[in-house]
Amino acid sequence: MSDIDNKDRVIIHEEEEEEDVEQDNSRAISPVEVAPTHGSRYIIYDAEARANRVNTTKERKFRNIITIIASGFALISDGYVNGSMSMLNKVFAMEYGSKVNYTSKVATRVSNASLVGIIFGQFFMGIAADYYSRRSCILIATVILVTGSALCAASHGTTVPGMFWMLTVMRGLVGIGVGAEYPTSTLSANESANEYTTKRRGGILVLVTNLPLSFGGPFSSIIFLIVYRICKGTKHLEAVWRTIFALGCFWPLTVFYFRWKTATTEIYEKGRIKRKIPYILAFKFYWKRLLGTCGTWFMYDFVTFPNGIFSSTIISAVIKDKNNLEKIAEWNLLLGTLSCLGVPIGAYLSDRIGRKYTLMIGFSGYIVFGLIIGCAYDQLSKITPLFIIFYAFMNMLGSTGPGDMLGVISSESYSTAVRGVFYGISAVTGKIGSVVGVECFQPIRNHLGARWTFIIAAICGLLGVLITYFLVPHSLESDLMKQDVEFHNFLVSNGWTGKMGFDEEMEKSEEVSCESGIEESDSINKKNGEVISVRDIDP
């Protein structure tokens, strides 16, 4: 770069936001050269404009708070759907026979149906969320989720196997709704939190997304116990499962009105690309981060989903009365409640030590407690409370690390223009891990023994730590808009001729300047008013 002056070029660098914050190697991207000529499309960061966006009117702050809460709350549906199936698997087996109608094959099919639906919902709604508004996509997700839950409750057939086939299809529809919630809810909440605060975005996002998602598990156990008592135990098991499914309609409906009233954030308007998103260049720019978010999400979901869906199976194997649904639900509730305690811990750590290190702590919990339970399974299985405590600690650290951080990292590591699709790809990879984990759970228990489900969890934890260390960025930025300009300038440096919201705003500014008779140099200064810098990133 010794001939920079001769070429009349300068390099734009990112201003340090916090002193003594070590830049992670995974954030390194080669600098972009910018020609200081009239009409240059390169843009840099304006810290003053950022401060003005955060220190806004009370009305706008309140609107951001409502958007944050309304966006994330319905994710309780995912935890509820997953948690309710843990108990309903036992209900179906008792009501219809585990050796005739609800065999392990049917149980796996019904359980996996929602996971397959989630994959479709996450991927396609992730793309739609980039091209269209977050608000319209989140409303569509709500409608699909409510419709699917209602049809699950109404499942019927001329034969019992026929009824389970309808339930399988309807749970797939619920899965599409739940999957659509992931990119739309998380991205909308994160972008609104970005406009609300400069220091606590990670913690806020965790509390409005992963907290309701994690709470959905124990909440489903509470609902099951209430409904089970009302229906007088095992006398009306069909009424129990239909009621549980029907109540799944209620949670997303509680925030539908507020979602309808949410507004599009400024960061989305400026960072979006309305036509022909350059995905090839985007993969070239973000491939390393994408491997990190996909790999860690796969490892986490491979462990946590089968543990969630089959937790009643795990618990029933270590208690004396294996068919006491109420006792199993109570232990399940305790397990889920203890696991939820990890969520606020992760929310606290994420904005203090960073997302990367919080994620590694969580995966380390899988290594420690997975090995303890796996190696001492025969002894621990004879002491139910101790087994539940160790099992809860493993799940709690899972919630603290990957449970909290994967949504945050996947929504922060990419620019607004491709945030939805890359978040969707990461989440889809995780759900593929869920499907594989659910498919492997029973064969592992049957052929290798119950202890190996925990030993394999420890192995996944080790792989998660390694993937995080080498591929996941250390996010401590205060403004997501930096991602947008960084990506914009990279595209421009590679000959991209499309338009982001930044470009459209600058064109309007030029038009106004020309109509007002302002000199060209002043016009250029104005069009570069809201600008963001490029930081060094190593592809």
Side-chain angles (χ1 to χ4, degrees):
M1 301 299 293
S2 60
D3 59 343
I4 291 179
D5 295 333
N6 295 332
K7 293 184 178 181
D8 192 26
R9 304 178 75 85
V10 297
I11 300 178
I12 296 180
H13 293 286
E14 177 185 10
E15 296 179 358
E16 288 287 335
E17 224 186 285
E18 297 182 28
E19 294 183 0
D20 302 326
V21 175
E22 181 181 355
Q23 295 294 326
D24 190 85
N25 290 334
S26 63
R27 301 177 71 98
I29 303 177
S30 55
V32 176
E33 296 183 353
V34 181
T37 58
H38 294 305
S40 171
R41 295 186 60 200
Y42 292 99
I43 47 182
I44 59 174
Y45 183 65
D46 186 346
E48 184 178 352
R50 164 60 172 167
N52 292 334
R53 295 203 328 268
V54 176
N55 300 321
T56 184
T57 63
K58 291 184 178 179
E59 180 182 354
R60 187 161 187 149
K61 279 183 172 292
F62 180 74
R63 187 166 57 183
N64 284 332
I65 292 174
I66 293 298
T67 302
I68 293 168
I69 297 173
S71 296
F73 178 78
L75 282 172
I76 193 175
S77 299
D78 185 25
Y80 181 83
V81 168
N82 188 34
S84 62
M85 275 308 299
S86 176
M87 291 306 306
L88 293 183
N89 274 326
K90 296 293 294 183
V91 170
F92 289 139
M94 291 180 63
E95 177 71 359
Y96 302 105
S98 59
K99 295 182 180 180
V100 181
N101 294 311
Y102 201 69
T103 62
S104 60
K105 183 178 180 180
V106 175
T108 301
R109 187 186 73 214
V110 173
S111 299
N112 262 346
S114 66
L115 298 179
V116 174
I118 288 173
I119 290 173
F120 282 96
Q122 286 174 334
F123 182 73
F124 291 107
M125 198 58 74
I127 296 175
D130 286 337
Y131 277 107
Y132 306 101
S133 69
R134 312 288 200 219
R135 173 179 169 272
S136 60
C137 292
I138 207 171
L139 292 176
I140 292 172
T142 304
V143 172
I144 295 174
L145 185 54
V146 171
T147 304
S149 297
L151 291 174
C152 279
S155 295
H156 67 282
T158 55
T159 62
V160 173
M163 181 191 71
F164 281 124
W165 271 112
M166 179 177 176
L167 181 61
T168 300
V169 174
M170 293 307 107
R171 272 184 56 78
L173 184 62
V174 170
I176 293 175
V178 170
E181 286 277 348
Y182 272 79
T184 55
S185 296
T186 306
L187 301 188
S188 178
N190 202 1
E191 289 165 359
S192 296
N194 184 78
E195 302 303 281
Y196 178 75
T197 180
T198 59
K199 297 180 179 180
R200 300 186 301 275
R201 186 182 67 244
I204 289 175
L205 182 63
V206 167
L207 293 178
V208 300
T209 56
N210 197 50
L211 182 59
L213 195 157
S214 299
F215 180 68
F219 183 60
S220 66
S221 297
I222 294 173
I223 296 298
F224 177 85
L225 286 169
I226 295 172
V227 173
Y228 186 76
R229 284 290 184 90
I230 293 173
C231 295
K232 298 180 180 179
T234 57
K235 295 181 180 180
H236 304 284
L237 289 179
E238 182 176 351
V240 171
W241 70 261
R242 291 190 186 277
T243 303
I244 296 295
F245 280 130
L247 288 174
C249 302
F250 179 72
W251 323 127
L253 284 176
T254 56
V255 292
F256 186 81
Y257 172 79
F258 300 101
R259 288 181 164 189
W260 184 272
K261 292 294 184 180
T262 56
T264 303
T265 60
E266 181 179 353
I267 187 174
Y268 178 74
E269 290 294 341
K270 290 187 176 183
R272 69 184 298 194
I273 298 175
K274 295 182 179 179
R275 296 179 58 194
K276 297 181 179 179
I277 296 175
Y279 288 118
I280 294 178
L281 286 176
F283 276 106
K284 179 181 178 182
F285 192 61
Y286 286 124
W287 69 269
K288 191 173 182 179
R289 294 181 177 188
L290 189 60
L291 286 177
T293 55
C294 287
T296 49
W297 214 322
F298 182 94
M299 292 302 158
Y300 174 64
D301 278 7
F302 180 86
V303 174
T304 193
F305 260 79
N307 276 341
I309 291 175
F310 295 109
S311 62
S312 62
T313 303
I314 296 172
I315 292 171
S316 65
V318 298
I319 66 175
K320 295 180 180 179
D321 189 353
K322 303 182 185 303
N323 291 320
N324 188 333
L325 290 179
E326 193 168 355
K327 184 66 67 176
I328 294 172
E330 288 170 352
W331 280 114
N332 225 12
L333 174 59
L334 177 62
L335 177 64
T337 303
L338 292 175
S339 300
C340 281
L341 296 178
V343 176
I345 297 174
Y348 176 82
L349 293 176
S350 67
D351 292 319
R352 286 157 180 81
I353 66 174
R355 303 11 167 177
K356 181 170 185 170
Y357 300 136
T358 306
L359 184 58
M360 292 175 70
I361 289 172
F363 275 125
S364 298
Y366 277 172
I367 300 174
V368 175
F369 290 102
L371 288 176
I372 290 175
I373 298 173
C375 295
Y377 183 83
D378 292 337
Q379 293 79 8
L380 289 174
S381 61
K382 297 176 183 178
I383 311 172
T384 303
L386 188 60
F387 177 88
I388 296 297
I389 289 173
F390 279 117
Y391 190 19
F393 271 120
M394 188 182 84
N395 290 342
M396 184 179 72
L397 284 170
S399 296
T400 299
D404 279 357
M405 293 300 101
L406 288 175
V408 178
I409 291 172
S410 298
S411 61
E412 288 183 345
S413 297
Y414 313 106
S415 67
T416 299
V418 294
R419 186 171 293 134
V421 68
F422 281 179
Y423 180 99
I425 291 173
S426 302
V428 163
T429 306
K431 286 302 174 285
I432 292 173
S434 302
V435 174
V436 176
V438 171
E439 289 287 346
C440 293
F441 182 83
Q442 290 292 2
I444 289 173
R445 285 178 64 88
N446 294 337
H447 295 94
L448 298 178
R451 69 169 66 243
W452 276 95
T453 59
F454 295 98
I455 294 174
I456 290 175
I459 295 172
C460 289
L462 176 60
L463 292 174
V465 169
L466 294 175
I467 294 171
T468 302
Y469 181 79
F470 290 106
L471 299 175
V472 172
H474 182 64
S475 303
L476 278 175
E477 287 182 347
S478 67
D479 191 4
L480 292 177
M481 198 176 281
K482 290 183 179 180
Q483 289 277 0
D484 299 338
V485 170
E486 176 182 85
F487 184 56
H488 175 279
N489 289 352
F490 170 79
L491 295 179
V492 171
S493 70
N494 281 270
W496 180 66
T497 58
K499 295 180 182 178
M500 277 189 186
F502 293 116
D503 300 301
E504 295 174 355
E505 184 179 85
M506 287 191 289
E507 287 178 356
K508 291 178 182 178
S509 179
E510 278 187 320
E511 291 175 1
V512 172
S513 299
C514 292
E515 291 175 0
S516 303
I518 299 176
E519 293 183 2
E520 185 180 11
S521 60
D522 293 332
S523 173
I524 292 172
N525 289 332
K526 284 183 175 293
K527 81 174 184 177
N528 287 323
E530 175 69 18
V531 290
I532 302 178
S533 67
V534 178
R535 63 168 176 250
D536 293 338
I537 300 184
D538 181 14

